Amino acid sequence: MNKSILLALGAIVVAGVAYVALAPGQSADTADAAPPAEGAPMVEVALPGSLSSTAQMGETAFNAVCADCHGVNAAGKMGFGPPLIHKIYEPSHHGDMAFQIAVQNGVRSHHWSFGNMPPQEGLTQSDVMAITAYVRELQRENGIE
């Protein structure tokens, strides 16, 4: 092999090792960070300057029913439930109807290892629509669309 091919292969190997060592979304400073403590938020959430009136109602319902597992501002809660401010829950993957179905029927664990989510009692379809509006506004503020 000639020298330029060897240099190109070497560069590819170095780039591959760097990619694996610093997975997307990590920096050298966070690559060695310890996981969050039990009950701690799993992600940092930027809050919008204001919420629509529907999202405000959703925030109230979310705090009353969902935050015990999904954390304050849907940041997740280590050991309890996943963050909803996460690319997995973007509208193109988990549409708004997925929230209705999850509340009504529960959800089998499939993206995270928190166990199954049971159906949630006491929420109307309107409540879930408002919660969904709240989560979607938080997601948009955090670049998830």
Side-chain angles (χ1 to χ4, degrees):
M1 280 193 213
N2 71 31
K3 192 174 185 176
S4 61
I5 292 175
L6 286 174
L7 286 173
L9 287 173
I12 290 170
V13 168
V14 168
V17 169
Y19 178 82
V20 170
L22 297 173
Q26 291 186 338
S27 68
D29 296 334
T30 61
D32 295 327
E38 182 87 3
M42 296 176 64
V43 298
E44 288 186 38
V45 177
L47 301 177
S50 63
L51 295 169
S52 68
S53 59
T54 301
Q56 288 175 20
M57 290 185 291
E59 179 182 26
T60 300
F62 183 93
N63 289 338
V65 179
C66 312
D68 282 347
C69 293
H70 291 289
V72 175
N73 299 316
K77 196 170 176 183
M78 186 55 84
F80 294 89
L84 300 177
I85 309 308
H86 191 282
K87 186 168 178 61
I88 287 175
Y89 300 104
E90 69 184 350
S92 65
H93 187 245
H94 284 89
D96 292 358
M97 187 51 105
F99 286 82
Q100 292 285 347
I101 293 168
V103 168
Q104 183 178 356
N105 301 331
V107 179
R108 277 196 240 175
S109 180
H110 57 288
H111 289 299
W112 307 89
S113 59
F114 293 104
N116 298 335
M117 176 182 145
Q120 301 300 299
E121 301 292 325
L123 290 171
T124 66
Q125 286 185 346
S126 293
D127 293 333
V128 179
M129 287 173 57
I131 290 168
T132 304
Y134 169 63
V135 170
R136 296 299 189 212
E137 288 185 27
L138 289 174
Q139 288 175 334
R140 279 191 294 278
E141 182 67 24
N142 288 273
I144 301 168
E145 297 189 50

